[in-house]
Amino acid sequence: KAGVTQTPRYLIKTRGQQVTLSCSPISGHRSVSWYQQTPGQGLQFLFEYFSETQRNKGNFPGRFSGRQFSNSRSEMNVSTLELGDSALYLCASRRGGENTEAFFGQGTRLTVV
Amino acid sequence: TQLLEQSPQFLSIQEGENLTVYCNSSSVFSSLQWYRQEPGEGPVLLVTVVTGGEVKKLKRLTFQFGDARKDSSLHITAAQPGDTGLYLCAGGDAGGTSYGKLTFGQGTILTVHP
């Protein structure tokens, strides 16, 4: 059974640019959540998508957005990149419903220069 | 806002020693998950506990969920160098439609010296 796949693994962008990250969840899982991990703040929840609908959102500016497709794949977008957006972005796949068990991808390391 | 306080932040021990990592909160969680993360990789799920007072064992690792579902602990017996890594606890939201949101502790960096 394939795990959670995130692409790309590494990304270098310039301030002011925008970036799109992709996540393919485990087959049969309908929920995808995104997290930002930095040394200072740890893992912070960005948002969760379930059946193409955003169900929950963390405390991040509107520059961070996402979407989910009918096949449960998800993308997150960050516009007008800032140096502080440099982080490991992690996608978590969950079956859905009341089951909170989440499985993470390897992450996308974003560096903003 | 739910918070999880994880301690200690750093742990450096010799091979063969025992250790315990704690995760505490003033909030109730529907579940508590423990992850281990290697540098540059995503967290790998070790265990999920959902019932107050629940104890789960995974080889040399013992996980416990507090009776009130506000705290948890991870105990490692006879630590080995392969146990080195970042250990994270994460609480699942107790109500509504927030099941997909996990609240993470700050993590414990464990180093086991041969």
Side-chain angles (χ1 to χ4, degrees), chain B residues 14-79:
Chain B
Q14 293 295 128
E15 182 176 2
E17 293 184 6
N18 302 331
L19 66 111
T20 302
V21 178
Y22 299 94
C23 202
N24 296 293
S25 176
S26 58
S27 304
V28 175
F29 290 98
S30 60
S31 67
L32 210 299
Q33 297 170 42
W34 285 91
Y35 293 86
R36 179 167 167 265
Q37 186 178 21
E38 301 278 356
E41 301 292 327
V44 174
L45 180 65
L46 296 174
V47 78
T48 300
V49 285
V50 297
T51 305
E54 183 176 3
V55 177
K56 278 191 175 179
K57 292 191 176 185
L58 186 66
K59 296 183 181 178
R60 294 177 294 101
L61 279 61
T62 301
F63 305 86
Q64 188 163 3
F65 202 11
D67 291 341
R69 293 187 293 148
K70 292 183 179 180
D71 56 87
S72 182
S73 64
L74 156 62
H75 183 79
I76 300 179
T77 303

Side-chain angles (χ1 to χ4, degrees), chain B residues 81-96:
Chain B
D83 295 327
T84 294
L86 172 66
Y87 289 82
L88 295 156
C89 63
D93 212 312

Side-chain angles (χ1 to χ4, degrees), chain A residues 90-112:
Chain A
L90 293 160
C91 162
S93 168
R94 197 172 59 85
R95 188 175 300 281
E98 297 185 12
N99 186 333
T100 59
E101 204 163 66
F103 299 89
F104 283 84
Q106 292 181 298
T108 294
R109 169 70 63 185
L110 172 65
T111 303
V112 183

Side-chain angles (χ1 to χ4, degrees), chain A residues 15-74:
Chain A
R15 269 182 305 174
Q17 287 186 314
Q18 75 165 17
V19 67
T20 299
L21 313 181
S22 179
C23 172
S24 292
I26 294 170
S27 177
H29 285 198
R30 297 169 63 191
S31 165
V32 173
S33 300
W34 290 89
Y35 292 81
Q36 181 195 66
Q37 186 176 28
T38 59
Q41 298 297 317
L43 271 124
Q44 306 263 297
F45 173 77
L46 281 156
F47 29 65
E48 185 211 4
Y49 287 86
F50 181 84
S51 293
E52 302 178 65
T53 301
Q54 185 183 91
R55 294 207 308 179
N56 213 339
K57 192 178 192 311
N59 190 26
F60 279 82
R63 299 185 296 106
F64 291 82
S65 63
R67 58 178 175 168
Q68 187 180 33
F69 302 95
S70 58
N71 61 358
S72 294
R73 190 177 72 84
S74 177

